[in-house]
Structures are given as structure tokens and as C-alpha cells.
Amino acid sequence: MSCMIRPIKKTMTLMLLLCLTSIFLTGCWDRTEVNDLALILAAGIDKGKNKNIELSAQIYIPGGSQGGQQSGMSSGSSSGQSFVRSAEGETIADAMARLQEELTREVFWGQNEVLIIGEKLAKAGISDEIDFWMRHSEPRIRADVFVSKGRSKSVLGAKPELERDAAKQLRKIVKTHIGVKVTVKDLSQMLAGESAPAVLPWVEKLPPSLMDKKKEIPIINGAAIFKEGKMVGRLDDKETRGILWPRNEIKSGMITIAIDDENGYISLKLLRSHTELIPSIKNGQWSMHIKTNADLEVVQNTTKLNLFNSKVIKRSKQKVADEIEQRERLAFSEVQEKLNSDIFGFANEFQSKYPQIWKQKKDEWNEIFPQVAVSFETKVKIKRTGLATGKRQRGVEQ
Amino acid sequence: MIEKGRISYLELALIMYATVVATAILYIPYVTSQHAKRDLWLSPIWGSLSGFLIVMIIVKLSKLYPGKTLIEYGELILGRTLGKIISFIYLFFLLHDTAIAFREYGEFIESAFLHKTPIIFVTGSIALSCAIAVHGGIETIGRCATIFLPIVLALYILIYVFLIPDLNVKNIFPIMQDGIMPSIKGSIAPHAWLSQFSLMSFLIPFLTNQQKVMKWGMFSVIASVLTMVFINLGNLLLFGGIISNLYFPVFEAARFISVGSFFEHIESMVIAFWVLGGFVQLSSFFYMLTLGTSQWLTLPSYKQFVLPIGFLIIIFSVWSIPSFEEMIQGMGTTMPFYFLTVQLLIPVLLLGVAVIRRKRSNSFLP
């Protein structure tokens, strides 16, 4: 008899235990259901009235059940599955609380991956606002940060054709590494540096003349340069390409060269490149040697030159190296001389190589940086010349 | 003997590893970086000195009094009254230490996820599950350690493997910019954590085999130190200069993971696995405290003590620490000295007296 009871008793205890676990698994106080959340896809911060901050949030509208599999794709892009709301407050958190008052669901930052800073606020200084992103446990420090021309709110409301919304559009563009890509973490790291220099991608709207429809689409066109946490200037697209080389961020690119006495051009695609910064201090003269190694591939040749000729290749290599250096010089003249913002991380390089000198001269960095002599050394390799040639070439028997 | 279970060397090493490392990886990076800045990865290496020294002393003591824990041989060495007093101080410290460990666990879960849940529910529910393990005895905890810790260890490594594209090696330079002092100052927190190896004395008597205990103890210290160095280094390479601003860099690192834009937002999983390590750590603290108390009272069994002591721990975890800030502040200032005083001074005192007594009694004997 007792043999029978024991297993039953055991099962009963087990059942009881299982029931008990459910009490602890609910997470009573912090219970959050997906349908009680307002997912923020992108956030924009602007300068509001007085000293206030205006927070604009692009909030996801959960798709209704009528979407189905077929219409999901088409309706998703056109009808717009998100809306933009904004509120003002003394800080971002305060504005968020005001925003919450207008929403039926609880604001949730966990999916927010885009942060856009309005031009006016950027010029007034952004260091204080980054604290929210670092301190609050919901926003992700991997979110991409942008500076928008004009108000950030208008960027958030844009409806791009190819992507679901403005947030996705910006994230995708930045992923192609055409311009700089800066996350909240990177920004916070840059702002922690000596004289707090920073660079952020600059968002503009594609002018309607370039589009068939009368819609505005945000694109990245250059970069905003910060110093002491305040925006001090901006670079155009070409100059931005120039800062990517020394920052070792260039991932793709097209370089078109003309060879002295020839008609036509050779276009080369960048395969990969690596840049090294080599600092040196000699007799009180600070200098930085920028060493670039780049591999390219020819994609178009409109000259009559034969690319299998080693002399031609040698000349093209030289031309490419000149072109790259020229782009870098252009960027340096703007950033180093005019804006005096150390977005290349020179300070870190000098600090790691000359820690003792750095400690004494740290406070003078603002005066030293524009004086740093920059020299370039670019090594170019042309890896391939494509699949076939489309023209009759000189020196080749037909 | 109060405990009938037996553990292997590996289980001993793993339990000690969990006891030291589980909360260390959360708090050590922030606390060390306050002083050591870029050299924070060197600090655990200096801290290892405490670990090695304490393991040597504890192993020596357990060789002199085989099969006895610190609470038991304290009495044999110092005599009944003095022994009881010293053991009580040690036990009281252990209660405090255990309460701190529970609080560390709770504060982390609170800061990361459950902001509104009262901390007592977080610590209380883990204490309840630990109580089941403690009731099961040392073998249960040993088995848990062998099952869970490989997963936890793989997790520590995987976090940084997934982050390889984001790591920047340049962040560690310049090494020792201001000399060796900042990293030594930063090492006081690792000293505190590694001094917890004195708790090994509660486990050594239950080893099936006692010869190689020194080797495995040292192995456990080395593994703990390497893990701390690894975690500190990984965080430094990821965050660079802002490391000293982040309270839980490991958690931030886990949140930062994004592989191929679909494998991301995995911090909940990371924490779920981390809790396994936390469970082994808290169970082991809980077990040692329960066992020690029963031995101090010379009771035949510790099992009826499990729940009352669990209750005491939870209450202590609320009483002894006013707030998160004060806990973090304490970790970098007072706590290391407190930990070292009790965990190094008491074993050294016991060993000193024991050796002198042995010599005397030997000289008296023909």
C-alpha cells in the first residue's frame, strides 16, 4: 500500500512545485505586454521654446490583422505604419513623460535605433542630451546618431519609397558606409576625448527635383563637425569622403582618374583600404604621417591605354594615390585649419606614443592641433582590370 | 560529520570560481576603472596575490586539521572560548558577505530589467531556489556547478567573440601611462573578491581525495583572475575611455551585440544564462553559511537551518546596504579592507598559532 502512495505523493509535490513556479515567473510589477507598448522606432531632439528640449518620436503602429501575407509588402511601404508625435520638456526624460500623457501605451525605447539631433540643438551643444541615452536602461547605445538640417521632426515624418520609414531609410544608408557612421557609444567616446571633438552624419532632404513624386526623402549629405560638444561647421559630401580615409572608415568608393595626355578616364572601384596614423614629435614639432594602403579594381576605361602594360598601371597607380591624397588634403584644410576639431583621433595617437609629453601639453592641444604637420604616404595596388575590354587598344594587334 | 556528500577537485574549483567570479564580472570593471583607468585589466593580476596567499594558508591549515572546516579547527587551535569568538566574527562576516552577494545580484537585475519590482522579491525568489540546492547538500551544488558553469563560461567568451568587429585594440594604449600605481590602486576591489577564496575551507573537508587540493585551488584562482582580466580587457577594447562611466559594462556589451543585423537584442538571454552562474555562487555562499553556523553550534544536522538562515540573509541584504550608490562606493573604498581583514587576518592568525602549538607540543614530546 505504501509503495502505491509514495509515487502519488511525489507527483503531487511536483505538481505543487510547478504551480508555485508560476507565481514567480509572472514578474508582477514589471510585467509588460507587447500590446501595451508604444515602440519608438526613431527619436529626434530639437531646441524648443525657452531652454526646453523638444522630443519627437516616431512610433510604430502595430499592423492590423487585415494585412495578411499578400498585401503586407505593398501596404506596408505606402500606407505608413508609424506616426510622429512630439512634446517639450526641460530634459529629454521630462519631454518623454509629457509625450507619455498623449499616448495610450507605454513608451518603449528598446527598439529605437535612430537618434536625430536638430541643427539648432547641435549648435547649442549635445553633451547633456547624450546622458539620457547612456544612463536610461532602455535606449540602445548602438543607435545611430544623425544631425539634421533644420528640425529633426520633419525628417522623421518623411515617407521614403523603398524603405518602411525614415528611420529604416537612414539606418540603411549609413550601413553602406558612404559617409560616417556614428553610434551613441562612439559619440560618447568622442565627446569624452580632449576638447570633445565629434563628427556626425548630416541629414538633408533630397530635393524634389530629383524625384518623380512630390515627396521628401532624407539622405545623408556630408557631415557635421563638433567641438567642445557643439556643432561648429559642416563638411560637404566630397570633404566627408576625405575624412573617411584617415579615420579608416572607408569601405567603398569610386575613384576616377585622367592620365595626363590622354583623352578619357579610368574609373576604379575601391576593394579595401587600411590607414595607419603614425605620430611623431621632433624638436617640438608635432607631425602626423598618414599611411594608406588601398586595393582597387578597374571598372571602366575610356582611354586608349592598354591596362596590361605595366607602365600604364604604374602611372595609374600614381594618379590614384595623388587623387586619394588630394581628397584627404581637402578635408584636412577644412577640418584642421578652419574648424580646428580633432575628429581623426590625433590626440589618442599622440597620447599613446608620447604619454609623458602629452601629459604636459594636454591643455595646449587646441593650439597644437592646427599646427600638426600632416604628411601622406599612399600605396595603391590595382588588383584586377575587369573581365574584358570594350575598345580597341593601342599597342594591341587586331 | 554533518555533511555526508563528497565532491571532486573539479567541483571544488568550479564552485570557488562561481563564488568569486559571478558578481565580480559585473562590478569589477566599473570599480577598478575608477582608479586604474586604461590599466584596469592589470588590476586583477595584482589582486591575484591575495588569492594565492589565502589559498596557500587555507590549504596548509586543512592539512594540519584534515576533515575540519575553519569553524571547527578555530576552536581546536585557540581553545573553546577564544575559538568560538573568532569563529563567530568569521561567521558574522560570512553572513554580511552573503547578504552583499545577494544584494549585488538583486541590484543588477533591478537596474537592468525589473525596475519596479521590490528588490526583496528578486533576492527572495533566488534565495528560495538556492535553499532547495542547499538542502540537497554539497553534492547538489557541485553537480549544479559542473552542469551550469561550462555554459556560463562559454557565455562570457561568446559575448566578446560576437563583438570582435567592434573591438579596437588601440584602446589599451598607452599602457601604464602614470606608472604602476593607478592599476595597484584599482586592484583593491579584485583583492576583496579574490580574498573570498578563504571560503574554500568549508569545501576542502568534503573532497573525495585531498592530495592535490593546492593545485586545484591555485587553478581556480588563476581561472578567476584570467576571467576578470578577460572581461576587463574586452570592455576596455569595446568602450575605450568611457569605460569608467558605465556601471555594468558587461551588460552594455551584451546589449551592443549585433551580428548581421538579425542576431541582436540578446541581452535577456545573456542575463538568463548569467543567472545560472549567480545561482551557483549564491547557493555556495548560502551553504557555507548554513554549514558554518551549524558547526559553530555543534548541531548534528544543518538542514533545519536552511530556511531561517535564508530569511536572515534576505533581511541582512536589505539592512546592511542603504543604496546601490553606497554599495558601489563601498566596493572601491571600505569593503576591500574589511574583506581582507577578516579573510586574511583570521586564517593567518590561526595558522600562526597552530604552527607554534605544533612545535611546542613536538618539543615536549620525547
Side-chain angles (χ1 to χ4, degrees), chain A residues 303-327:
Chain A
T303 64
K304 286 181 176 165
L305 295 168
N306 177 9
L307 290 173
F308 288 118
N309 185 337
S310 61
K311 270 186 195 160
V312 173
I313 289 291
K314 208 177 166 192
R315 273 167 74 193
S316 331
K317 275 186 188 171
Q318 188 52 46
K319 273 281 166 194
V320 172
D322 290 349
E323 175 71 23
I324 294 173
E325 284 176 17
Q326 198 205 323
R327 287 184 185 191

Side-chain angles (χ1 to χ4, degrees), chain A residues 50-68:
Chain A
N50 303 325
K51 277 183 172 176
N52 282 357
I53 299 286
E54 187 186 14
L55 172 76
S56 313
Q58 186 183 7
I59 296 163
Y60 179 69
I61 304 170
S65 53
Q66 81 278 14

Side-chain angles (χ1 to χ4, degrees), chain A residues 114-369:
Chain A
V114 168
L115 167 62
I116 305 169
I117 300 165
E119 189 180 355
K120 265 192 187 163
L121 184 69
K123 281 182 177 154
I126 54 169
S127 312
D128 300 338
E129 315 313 328
I130 294 305
D131 182 68
F132 176 79
W133 257 259
M134 297 298 291
R135 190 177 294 274
H136 197 295
S137 73
E138 270 178 17
R140 293 182 181 273
I141 57 172
R142 211 191 180 101
D144 292 310
V145 191
F146 304 86
V147 176
S148 71
K149 187 181 178 184
R151 295 176 74 77
S152 65
K153 195 180 172 183
S154 60
V155 175
L156 290 176
K159 294 264 175 279
E161 291 115 334
L162 208 50
E163 300 300 337
R164 198 178 58 208
D165 47 50
K168 192 102 184 170
Q169 162 94 359
L170 289 172
R171 274 193 76 202
K172 285 254 174 134
I173 293 186
V174 97
K175 248 190 193 161
T176 59
H177 286 278
I178 296 292
V180 283
K181 176 175 164 41
V182 180
T183 62
V184 173
K185 183 204 89 171
D186 299 334
L187 180 62
S188 162
Q189 274 175 328
M190 287 193 278
L191 292 176
E194 197 60 38
S195 84
V199 55
L200 288 175
W202 175 261
V203 176
E204 273 181 14
K205 280 183 199 142
L206 195 63
S209 63
L210 291 174
M211 289 185 294
D212 46 354
K213 269 188 262 169
K214 265 208 146 186
K215 277 209 256 176
E216 285 176 321
I217 292 181
I219 52 153
I220 289 165
N221 186 20
I225 304 293
F226 288 73
K227 199 183 169 186
E228 307 289 356
K230 287 182 181 128
M231 181 175 157
V232 288
R234 80 161 272 263
L235 302 180
D236 64 23
D237 208 31
K238 209 172 171 192
E239 289 160 344
T240 309
R241 306 283 295 158
I243 64 166
L244 293 180
W245 293 91
R247 279 173 65 86
N248 208 0
E249 271 178 35
I250 195 130
K251 292 275 157 66
S252 66
M254 193 71 76
I255 291 170
T256 301
I257 50 165
I259 296 199
D260 315 320
D261 45 353
E262 290 289 332
N263 286 328
Y265 303 96
I266 300 174
S267 284
L268 300 103
K269 193 174 126 188
L270 182 71
L271 295 175
R272 62 192 78 86
S273 91
H274 181 76
T275 310
E276 235 182 302
L277 303 177
I278 303 161
S280 69
I281 303 176
K282 272 180 198 143
N283 310 324
Q285 172 62 43
W286 298 47
S287 59
M288 184 64 82
H289 188 63
I290 298 170
K291 213 170 154 184
T292 307
N293 282 311
D295 292 355
L296 299 103
E297 171 182 54
V298 178
V299 287
Q300 194 177 7
N301 176 13
T302 61
T303 64
K304 286 181 176 165
L305 295 168
N306 177 9
L307 290 173
F308 288 118
N309 185 337
S310 61
K311 270 186 195 160
V312 173
I313 289 291
K314 208 177 166 192
R315 273 167 74 193
S316 331
K317 275 186 188 171
Q318 188 52 46
K319 273 281 166 194
V320 172
D322 290 349
E323 175 71 23
I324 294 173
E325 284 176 17
Q326 198 205 323
R327 287 184 185 191
E328 288 176 295
R329 277 206 185 90
L330 180 74
F332 269 99
S333 72
E334 186 71 25
V335 175
Q336 192 190 12
E337 285 153 32
K338 272 197 207 149
L339 301 173
N340 185 11
S341 172
D342 175 24
I343 55 169
F344 308 102
F346 280 12
N348 288 340
E349 297 294 331
F350 281 112
Q351 189 186 3
S352 29
K353 196 162 176 196
Y354 302 99
Q356 298 313 319
I357 300 179
W358 174 256
K359 249 197 280 178
Q360 297 159 9
K361 299 275 183 176
K362 201 164 86 181
D363 301 328
E364 298 164 40
W365 179 240
N366 261 336
E367 289 83 57
I368 294 169
F369 177 67

Side-chain angles (χ1 to χ4, degrees), chain B residues 66-222:
Chain B
K68 298 256 185 302
T69 68
L70 195 142
I71 305 298
E72 289 172 318
Y73 55 64
E75 221 170 298
L76 292 177
I77 294 169
L78 297 173
R80 203 181 146 91
T81 326
L82 201 58
K84 284 273 188 219
I85 293 170
I86 291 286
S87 315
F88 179 76
I89 294 173
Y90 191 84
L91 272 180
F92 190 76
F93 159 80
L94 184 55
L95 172 63
H96 196 180
D97 192 8
T98 310
I100 292 170
F102 271 84
R103 181 67 179 251
E104 283 166 355
Y105 167 86
E107 286 290 353
F108 170 63
I109 299 283
E110 291 268 303
S111 315
F113 292 112
L114 308 174
H115 305 275
K116 288 177 191 157
T117 311
I119 192 162
I120 202 151
F121 282 83
V122 177
T123 48
S125 53
I126 190 89
L128 209 59
S129 36
C130 287
I132 297 170
V134 174
H135 198 268
I138 188 69
E139 268 181 22
T140 314
I141 298 171
R143 296 282 154 80
C144 285
T146 23
I147 295 167
F148 293 157
L149 281 180
I151 304 172
V152 177
L153 203 62
L155 170 87
Y156 294 160
I157 295 165
L158 274 180
I159 292 177
Y160 295 96
V161 168
F162 286 134
L163 286 168
I164 283 175
D166 299 295
L167 300 182
N168 182 4
V169 184
K170 278 186 181 173
N171 284 340
I172 69 167
F173 298 109
I175 297 169
M176 293 204 262
Q177 183 185 4
D178 299 311
I180 206 165
M181 266 330 272
S183 62
I184 291 181
K185 268 190 196 162
S187 78
I188 59 169
H191 273 299
W193 255 277
L194 288 161
S195 70
Q196 288 170 339
F197 268 95
S198 76
L199 301 176
M200 228 169 85
S201 86
F202 288 99
L203 300 179
I204 294 174
F206 310 126
L207 280 172
T208 39
N209 208 330
Q210 311 248 345
Q211 278 94 44
K212 290 181 188 159
V213 61
M214 181 74 98
K215 189 181 125 195
W216 282 89
M218 292 296 176
F219 171 74
S220 191
V221 176
I222 292 170

